[in-house]
Amino acid sequence: MPAKSVDGYEIEYTGELLEGTKQWGAYVSIFAPSANPMHMTHICPKRRVSADLTFLDQHAAEAEAERAALKILEDLRP
C-alpha cells in the first residue's frame, strides 16, 4: 500500500480490484500525530473515494486516491 507523509499526517492510498469486475477502485486512509509517539490517530478510516468512478488499472486508481487524500487533508486542516 503506497503511503506518504504530509505535514505530520500519514496518508495511505491504494487501488483495489473491485470484486466481480475488472475495474479498480480508489481507497484512502489518513492518520494524524498523537501525544503518544508510538501511536497515530486514525482520523479517516479506509474508505473508497470517488465511488462513482472506476479505473482500468491499479496505477490510475492509486493516482486518484492520492489526489483525493490530499483534498481530504486540505479540508481537515484549520
Side-chain angles (χ1 to χ4, degrees), residues 57-70:
D57 61 42
Q58 185 176 10
H59 180 73
E62 287 176 354
E64 174 61 16
E66 182 178 13
R67 184 204 63 77
L70 294 174

Side-chain angles (χ1 to χ4, degrees), residues 7 9 32 43 71-78:
D7 297 332
Y9 292 88
I43 61 172
K71 174 70 173 126
I72 292 167
L73 190 55
E74 181 180 302
D75 291 345
L76 288 174
R77 291 184 186 149

Side-chain angles (χ1 to χ4, degrees), residues 21-73:
T21 73
K22 294 182 180 181
Q23 301 291 313
W24 294 78
Y27 292 84
V28 168
S29 185
I30 300 175
F31 300 84
S34 73
N36 180 345
M38 298 299 290
H39 178 72
M40 296 286 282
T41 302
H42 203 188
I43 61 172
C44 179
K46 182 180 171 183
R47 66 180 186 195
R48 185 170 170 202
V49 296
S50 306
D52 56 337
L53 295 176
T54 58
F55 303 91
L56 297 177
D57 61 42
Q58 185 176 10
H59 180 73
E62 287 176 354
E64 174 61 16
E66 182 178 13
R67 184 204 63 77
L70 294 174
K71 174 70 173 126
I72 292 167
L73 190 55

